[in-house]
Amino acid sequence: MADTQIVKVDQGGVNARILAKETKADFRRIEAASVKMPTRFTSAEGKRFFVRLFNTLQLNTHFISVIARTRLDHDDIAKVEATIRAQLDAVNESLNSAIDGAEALFKAHGITSVATYDTVALDVEVGVLSSSGRRFLEVLGKLDQLMPLLQTLEIHEVITAQAVDIQRAALKRQVRDVANGARNFAIGLRRRMNAMGTRQGGIDDRGQAVAAQALEASSGHDDAAAQEGMPDSGGSIVEPGPVSVAETADVSDPD
């Protein structure tokens, strides 16, 4: 007897919708080498967090560690990097603890199989730019691993749906906070770099003003010499051009 399919299952449409909704991160100006790593996500949370957060975190940490370091104090950059690593370590520890706890409940209640997804897995090859990117990818992988464990425990009524929701929300918030923290650090460092450019522009403006005043004084002396019948220096005086103000656009490139 031929198999009869009584439900419609996903054929890749879910992944297409997830990818279509997200803005593509622009890596065209990133010249760093990357390690290519095959990656697979099966849970809804793992897929969406990977698509929404991973590449933006990579761009922000690249800006912090590579671009900002060319203009700002290295010790300040090191402190930012240490804070991001500490956040990654904390969420990694939380996920490890949650996975260990779920596996202990599996064993205690004789559960031998894990719930699986009928949606097509998201298989991608990822270019990892830095140790922060690699660590964050590992965090996303552990979040993806934990989700079906919690779902299985809820199905078997080992833990309540409310408890699952609370734990899931807390862990997702920790993961999201890492990416948001890197973004906020990058914004703050970019503002400092732009402020430095503005201050440098102000210094240049004052220098040009002093030069213009000296030029006017020199012109006055030449006029007085001419009135006394003395020959002038023979040089032409050029009026100072318009003062240029340093641009304050976002710095995205060390060049």
Side-chain angles (χ1 to χ4, degrees), residues 136-148:
F136 192 61
L137 188 63
E138 290 174 356
V139 162
L140 293 174
K142 288 180 180 180
L143 179 71
D144 188 66
Q145 177 186 350
L146 176 63
M147 292 301 103

Side-chain angles (χ1 to χ4, degrees), residues 237-248:
I237 298 174
V238 179
E239 291 295 325
V243 175
S244 62
V245 179
E247 293 291 335
T248 58

Side-chain angles (χ1 to χ4, degrees), residues 4 43 90:
T4 301
S43 71

Side-chain angles (χ1 to χ4, degrees), residues 4-51:
T4 301
Q5 188 173 350
I6 61 174
V7 296
K8 291 183 179 181
V9 295
D10 172 58
Q11 300 295 326
V14 171
N15 292 341
R17 288 195 296 272
I18 292 173
L19 294 170
K21 288 181 179 179
E22 301 307 320
T23 303
K24 303 300 183 290
D26 189 351
F27 276 72
R28 289 175 295 179
R29 302 184 72 178
I30 301 297
E31 298 180 7
S34 63
V35 175
K36 309 304 185 288
M37 294 183 177
T39 307
R40 180 183 178 89
F41 295 96
T42 60
S43 71
E45 294 81 4
K47 292 177 182 179
R48 285 170 171 79
F49 269 46
F50 167 73
V51 172

Side-chain angles (χ1 to χ4, degrees), residues 35 105 117 122 202:
V35 175
L105 289 175
Y117 297 92
L122 180 63

Side-chain angles (χ1 to χ4, degrees), residues 45 143 146-147 149-151 153-155 159-174 176:
E45 294 81 4
L143 179 71
L146 176 63
M147 292 301 103
L149 298 180
L150 295 179
Q151 190 71 44
L153 293 172
E154 191 273 325
I155 290 170
I159 54 179
T160 65
Q162 182 180 11
V164 169
D165 286 342
I166 292 171
Q167 187 172 14
R168 183 190 292 120
L171 291 168
K172 287 169 63 177
R173 183 166 51 253
Q174 278 188 271
R176 193 185 298 112

